[in-house]
Each structure stands twice: as C-alpha cells, then as structure tokens.
Amino acid sequence: MTESTRRSFLWTSGLGLLAAGCAPKVADFAQKPGRRVVVIGGGWGGATAAKYVRLADPSVEVVLLEPNKEFVSCPFSNLVLSGVRTIAVGTGDPDKLSLPFVTVEADLRAGDLLLSTGMGGVFPPGYPVAEVTKVEHAATATFAKVEAKPAAHLDRAREVLLVWFRPPVPPPQPAAAAPVVPAGPATNSPASTGAAARPATAGGGE
C-alpha cells in the first residue's frame, strides 16, 4: 500500500465516521494509559506483525487498519520464492526435470535425493521424486540452475491414471405437491345423485 493510498484510506474513513454521526469527542483524543501500535495493511506482513506484537506484550493496544474486506493469498508460494521449498517442472525430456526458484544460497548438490513434502495431501511425505544431476550458480543470478532426473521411468509407463475434479452437485429438490382444491356443495341434479331421468310420455291419462 503506497503512502498516498494510506492517506486516502484514512481520510475516507474519517469522512465516513462524520457522516454516520460517530464524530470523535474530546475525550477520545485524551492521553490514554499504556502504549499503542498502529499497523497499516493487513496482509501477511501486517497481520503477522500485529499478532506477535500483542503476544510479546499483551498490555500494548494493537490497531490493524486494512481497507480491503478480504485477503486471498497462497502461503506456500512464499516458501517456494524464498527457496525453502521448490517445485519440479517438466522439460519435455522424460529424463530431465527443472527446479526453478532455488536460491544460490541453498545447500543443494548433485546426487541429492528430492522427496515429496506431502503438503498437497496427494502423495505421502518422503516419497522419492527425483535425483539432482546439475547445480549451476551464476555470479549475478538470484536463483541457481538446477536439473534433476525423475525417480520414475516416465517413458516406460504402461498405465496412466487421469483424475478429473467435479464439483459436488446438490441433490434435486423434491417436487412441490399439487394444491388441493376444496369440493363444492352437493346438488340434486341427476348427474350428481346418479338417478336416471324418466322420459316424458305423450297422450292423456289412464
């Protein structure tokens, strides 16, 4: 968050409080006992700083200011970018994998065995993935060039398992029952009573 954005956020927040009738009183600006720490930005850095400041001294009042309602991030991507973890990427050669984002300070040598971490929950931890075959360090580069050979023989596989993820489909809702129409009052018509109509006869009496 840039300085101009922080100022705009604080200015907008102040106007919103005034419009809602929550203008601060003189007592709100009075000196309060204890210390206060204001953290601008609620990302990983801001949230972590606010948490550990409060844990280090519970008497400190910690205020975290963040204009966004939601914060979405992948925490394990930071482990890859920092060199703590790496990702094996295919190169098109069944005997060669590339390992990007391995820092030059990483203690990685040819012959090291790469194991799965089990973080994704698909493979168990400690599963052999590949063996490091090359590690090159450039003088001005941040990341090293690392290649590895897969532990599995990808060019000899006879069976391949393809898995597709399908989102769960909610069960169908039961059909609504037909409305019941109340019956009308009974009548004495032949159709309703079931009595047959007698035909009229022509002529006089007996």
Side-chain angles (χ1 to χ4, degrees):
M1 182 182 292
T2 61
E3 189 66 24
S4 60
T5 306
R6 295 176 182 176
R7 293 177 181 175
S8 302
F9 168 66
L10 296 175
W11 174 255
T12 306
S13 301
L15 293 179
L17 292 175
L18 291 176
C22 301
K25 302 178 182 179
V26 178
D28 297 334
F29 295 97
Q31 185 67 27
K32 296 182 180 180
R35 294 170 294 174
R36 176 185 300 177
V37 175
V38 179
V39 180
I40 306 297
W44 284 104
T48 304
K51 173 184 177 180
Y52 284 98
V53 167
R54 187 60 182 271
L55 290 176
D57 190 350
S59 64
V60 176
E61 181 183 0
V62 181
V63 180
L64 180 63
L65 299 180
E66 170 58 41
N68 299 319
K69 296 181 180 180
E70 298 178 354
F71 174 74
V72 180
S73 177
C74 180
F76 295 113
S77 62
N78 298 330
L79 298 178
V80 175
L81 295 177
S82 61
V84 179
R85 295 287 187 271
T86 185
I87 299 176
V89 181
T91 61
D93 186 346
D95 293 331
K96 183 187 299 185
L97 295 175
S98 174
L99 279 72
F101 306 114
V102 176
T103 59
V104 293
E105 296 85 3
D107 185 14
L108 194 63
R109 304 174 183 178
D112 289 349
L113 183 63
L114 303 178
L115 305 177
S116 61
T117 60
M119 289 183 177
V122 179
F123 301 100
Y127 191 85
V129 177
E131 180 181 349
V132 178
T133 57
K134 181 193 295 185
V135 179
E136 294 183 357
H137 299 84
T140 59
T142 304
F143 301 102
K145 182 179 180 181
V146 182
E147 296 179 357
K149 182 179 181 181
H153 300 285
L154 303 179
D155 57 342
R156 302 179 187 177
R158 297 182 179 180
E159 298 180 359
V160 177
L161 176 63
L162 302 179
V163 180
W164 285 271
F165 172 76
R166 294 183 178 180
V169 179
Q173 299 294 332
V180 179
V181 180
T187 59
N188 294 329
S189 62
S192 60
T193 58
R198 183 173 58 181
T201 57
E206 297 178 359

